[in-house]
């Protein structure tokens, strides 16, 4: 009887806390989204932000319970303050293509402009939106402040060209969910049905992979059939140029299989058609490739036989900010991770501050640090050298994991990190 009473009190407390948090949300925000379009301009050392415009979005797909993001992930951090009280009312982290480009040799010689977007719930009152940038020592520095007043003019989004919007998976959980938008890219007006078939097949594959399988009831997936003028995808390395909705292309940063889209404003026009907090671009190509950037997007070649495996891997990046655990790939990044500081991603360490990782507490105390790559440790959580595009000085938690190579399960650390993010979005 005592245990049942304790459980009742606990559940009642959670219910009251959630109700209070929801009240807090509606004290500060309307039930729709505010989008801030801007440009990043810079090079290897410098970055400036150029404001473009505000836009409203019909849906706010984020969490209305956890308004302050406790995850210290991403190259950027957005903090929203009420202008009158100066109270912090919302925050989240993200990364983008510009921050990756800054680690390439091209950024040493050139200055470029990239599209950028901040997405927050629509403030009811005048607000200050601070954009912080993480430096190489993991310090967050103020980059730019946007000053928004809901009484000023707001530019409303036009509806982009689509064939349909369809919910292809809707979990049973009654609260908020992880909301994923599958967006078509490189499908012409006659190929929308092909996109739907591929989207449903990839949805089925993703929900067969842990932890997505166990969390299926807390996930909703929408399919948005954008229409492209041309079928296929551009590849400057093979002189293939296609006129597509999101201007996606292979060969990003001279990596033949790195597939990205620079059309972030157009991408957000499409994703605004549904409530979503994660975006996956399905590209109409048989070529192998993809990419994933935290709270930015995941993108894959949807027709390749390994598309489902690539999707799960890239969602590891875009959903949970997991780092790549491989170290032999031909990438063009220059010291992507500073080995003198602890990486902020959950699944990599330089051993500078390994005790700060939750994986430190998950390990068997008898496992040596670093851990040798030997058969007796094949299923052991450890600290194995090699990861983050470097064979030395960066360590991963498992000998093999889906963040290192396809067809492996996510290791316990990556599995836990992904589940944490699904729980975050589903109010658990």
């Amino acid at each position: 009887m005592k245990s049942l009473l304790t459980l009742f009190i606990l559940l009642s407390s959670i219910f009251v806390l959630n109700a209070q948090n929801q009240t807090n949300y509606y004290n500060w925000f309307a039930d729709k989204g505010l989008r801030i379009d801007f440009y990043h301009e810079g090079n290897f050392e410098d970055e400036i932000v150029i404001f473009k415009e505000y836009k409203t979005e019909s849906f706010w797909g984020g969490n209305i319970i956890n308004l302050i993001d406790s995850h210290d992930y991403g190259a950027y951090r957005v903090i929203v303050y009420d202008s009158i009280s100066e109270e912090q009312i919302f925050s989240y982290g993200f990364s983008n293509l510009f921050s990756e480009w800054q680690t390439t040799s091209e950024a040493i010689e050139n200055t470029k402009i990239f599209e950028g977007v901040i997405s927050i719930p629509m403030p009811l009152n005048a607000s200050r939106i601070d954009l912080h940038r993480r430096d190489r020592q993991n310090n967050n520095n103020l980059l730019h402040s946007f000053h928004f007043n809901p009484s000023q003019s707001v530019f409303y989004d036009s509806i982009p060209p689509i064939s349909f919007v369809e919910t292809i998976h809707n979990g049973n959980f009654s609260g908020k969910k992880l909301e994923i938008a599958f967006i078509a890219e490189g499908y012409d007006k006659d190929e929308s049905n092909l996109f739907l078939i591929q989207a449903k097949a990839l949805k089925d594959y993703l929900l067969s992979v842990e932890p997505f399988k166990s969390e299926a009831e807390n996930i909703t997936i929408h399919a948005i059939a954008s229409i492209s003028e041309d079928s296929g995808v551009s590849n400057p390395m093979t002189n293939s140029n296609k006129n597509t909705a999101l201007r996606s292309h292979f060969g990003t940063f001279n990596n033949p299989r790195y597939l990205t889209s620079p059309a972030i404003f157009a991408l957000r026009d499409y994703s605004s058609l549904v409530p979503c907090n994660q975006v996956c671009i399905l590209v109409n190509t048989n070529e192998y490739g993809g990419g994933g950037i935290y709270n930015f997007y995941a993108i894959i070649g949807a027709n390749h036989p390994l598309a489902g495996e690539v999707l799960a891997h890239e969602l590891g990046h875009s959903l949970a900010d997991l780092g790549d655990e491989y170290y032999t790939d031909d990438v063009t990044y220059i010291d992507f991770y500073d080995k003198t500081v602890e990486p902020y991603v959950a699944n990599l360490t330089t051993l500078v501050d390994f005790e700060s990782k939750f994986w430190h507490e998950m390990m068997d105390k008898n496992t040596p640090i670093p851990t040798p790559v030997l058969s007796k440790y094949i299923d052991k959580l450890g600290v194995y050298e090699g990861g983050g595009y470097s064979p030395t000085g960066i360590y991963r938690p498992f000998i093999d994991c889906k963040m290192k190579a396809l067809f492996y399960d996510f290791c316990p650390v990556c599995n836990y990190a992904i589940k944490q993010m699904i729980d975050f979005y589903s109010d658990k």
Side-chain angles (χ1 to χ4, degrees):
M1 181 66 71
K2 183 177 179 181
S3 61
L4 288 176
L5 179 60
T6 302
L7 178 60
F8 175 77
I9 293 172
L10 177 61
L11 292 176
S12 298
S13 300
I14 292 172
F15 176 80
V16 170
L17 180 60
N18 285 349
Q20 290 173 340
N21 286 336
Q22 289 188 53
T23 301
N24 288 341
Y25 176 89
Y26 290 108
N27 285 344
W28 299 115
F29 301 108
D31 197 13
K32 55 184 176 180
L34 171 66
R35 174 175 136 195
I36 305 171
D37 288 358
F38 64 96
Y39 297 98
H40 300 269
E41 180 180 350
N43 51 37
F44 181 78
E45 294 182 310
D46 299 316
E47 176 180 5
I48 63 171
V49 166
I50 305 168
F51 172 72
K52 181 176 182 285
E53 61 189 0
Y54 294 120
K55 290 189 174 183
T56 58
E57 296 186 331
S58 300
F59 305 100
W60 168 243
N63 192 296
I64 65 172
I65 300 296
N66 304 312
L67 298 179
I68 308 301
D69 184 7
S70 59
H71 304 96
D72 187 23
Y73 297 152
Y76 298 87
R77 189 159 190 84
V78 176
I79 304 177
V80 183
Y81 297 92
D82 177 71
S83 290
I84 297 173
S85 67
E86 284 296 313
E87 182 175 346
Q88 182 180 338
I89 57 177
F90 182 79
S91 69
Y92 81 105
F94 70 95
S95 296
N96 58 24
L97 206 55
F98 177 83
S99 59
E100 286 195 9
W101 174 76
Q102 283 187 301
T103 68
T104 68
S105 59
E106 183 188 12
I108 298 174
E109 302 171 352
N110 297 290
T111 294
K112 290 183 72 172
I113 296 177
F114 288 70
E115 295 179 4
V117 165
I118 291 171
S119 180
I120 64 172
M122 176 67 73
L124 294 173
N125 307 316
S127 302
R128 187 181 85 243
I129 300 110
D130 286 352
L131 178 61
H132 295 257
R133 176 65 194 269
R134 189 190 299 267
D135 64 22
R136 295 283 288 174
Q137 286 70 49
N138 279 340
N139 300 308
N140 286 316
N141 303 301
L142 181 63
L143 177 62
H144 190 87
S145 291
F146 302 90
H147 297 273
F148 173 75
N149 191 321
S151 65
Q152 73 183 52
S153 297
V154 178
F155 295 88
Y156 290 84
D157 291 350
S158 59
I159 298 176
I162 60 169
S163 291
F164 60 80
V165 175
E166 183 173 325
T167 299
I168 58 176
H169 175 76
N170 198 0
N172 296 321
F173 184 64
S174 59
K176 295 287 289 182
K177 306 182 186 73
L178 173 65
E179 302 256 9
I180 303 174
F182 283 177
I183 301 179
E185 164 67 336
Y187 294 82
D188 65 26
K189 59 184 176 58
D190 298 320
E191 294 176 312
S192 294
N193 190 56
L194 172 63
F195 162 69
L196 183 60
I197 292 170
Q198 291 169 329
K200 288 181 175 179
L202 287 166
K203 174 264 297 182
D204 290 342
Y205 194 96
L206 179 66
L207 297 180
S208 73
V209 174
E210 291 292 358
F212 300 100
K213 179 179 180 180
S214 297
E215 294 290 326
E217 68 173 9
N218 298 319
I219 299 172
T220 292
I221 301 176
H222 311 280
I224 301 172
S226 71
I227 299 174
S228 291
E229 187 69 25
D230 294 335
S231 175
V233 63
S234 296
N235 189 338
M237 301 184 113
T238 60
N239 294 317
S240 173
N241 294 300
K242 302 286 187 176
N243 182 6
T244 60
L246 301 176
R247 307 200 314 273
S248 300
H249 62 85
F250 284 98
T252 305
F253 308 150
N254 293 315
N255 185 327
R257 63 181 180 82
Y258 194 7
L259 177 61
T260 61
S261 165
I264 307 307
F265 301 152
L267 176 63
R268 290 300 312 196
D269 285 343
Y270 287 109
S271 67
S272 69
L273 298 174
V274 296
C276 72
N277 38 63
Q278 291 293 312
V279 174
C280 297
I281 305 169
L282 308 188
V283 181
N284 186 18
T285 178
N286 296 321
E287 294 184 61
Y288 175 79
I293 303 173
Y294 178 58
N295 276 342
F296 198 56
Y297 60 67
I299 183 170
I300 63 164
N303 307 347
H304 192 276
L306 301 181
E309 280 289 295
V310 176
L311 174 61
H313 171 93
E314 302 302 352
L315 267 172
H317 293 306
S318 63
L319 173 61
D321 205 12
L322 296 173
D324 280 318
E325 296 179 9
Y326 51 79
Y327 47 88
T328 57
D329 195 49
D330 184 21
V331 297
T332 55
Y333 302 125
I334 301 172
D335 297 328
F336 193 85
Y337 295 100
D338 186 336
K339 296 177 185 178
T340 67
V341 298
E342 189 66 26
Y344 62 81
V345 297
N347 63 323
L348 295 175
T349 180
T350 54
L351 294 180
V352 170
D353 186 19
F354 179 50
E355 290 75 14
S356 66
K357 302 289 187 184
F358 64 75
W359 130 51
H360 175 263
E361 299 302 317
M362 297 169 65
M363 282 180 57
D364 185 324
K365 302 304 181 186
N366 295 318
T367 302
I369 300 175
T371 314
V373 181
L374 300 174
S375 58
K376 68 177 181 177
Y377 295 115
I378 193 71
D379 294 320
K380 275 276 191 182
L381 199 59
V383 184
Y384 301 93
E385 191 165 28
Y389 320 117
S390 177
T392 61
I394 299 179
Y395 302 81
R396 64 192 189 276
F398 228 61
I399 291 178
D400 286 306
C401 168
K402 199 176 294 295
M403 296 311 297
K404 180 174 180 283
L406 304 184
F407 295 111
Y408 289 97
D409 294 334
F410 285 109
C411 75
V413 171
C414 295
N415 189 299
Y416 180 76
I418 293 171
K419 187 178 184 306
Q420 269 193 321
M421 296 306 295
I422 297 173
D423 288 350
F424 175 79
Y425 285 114
S426 56
D427 297 344
K428 293 173 65 180

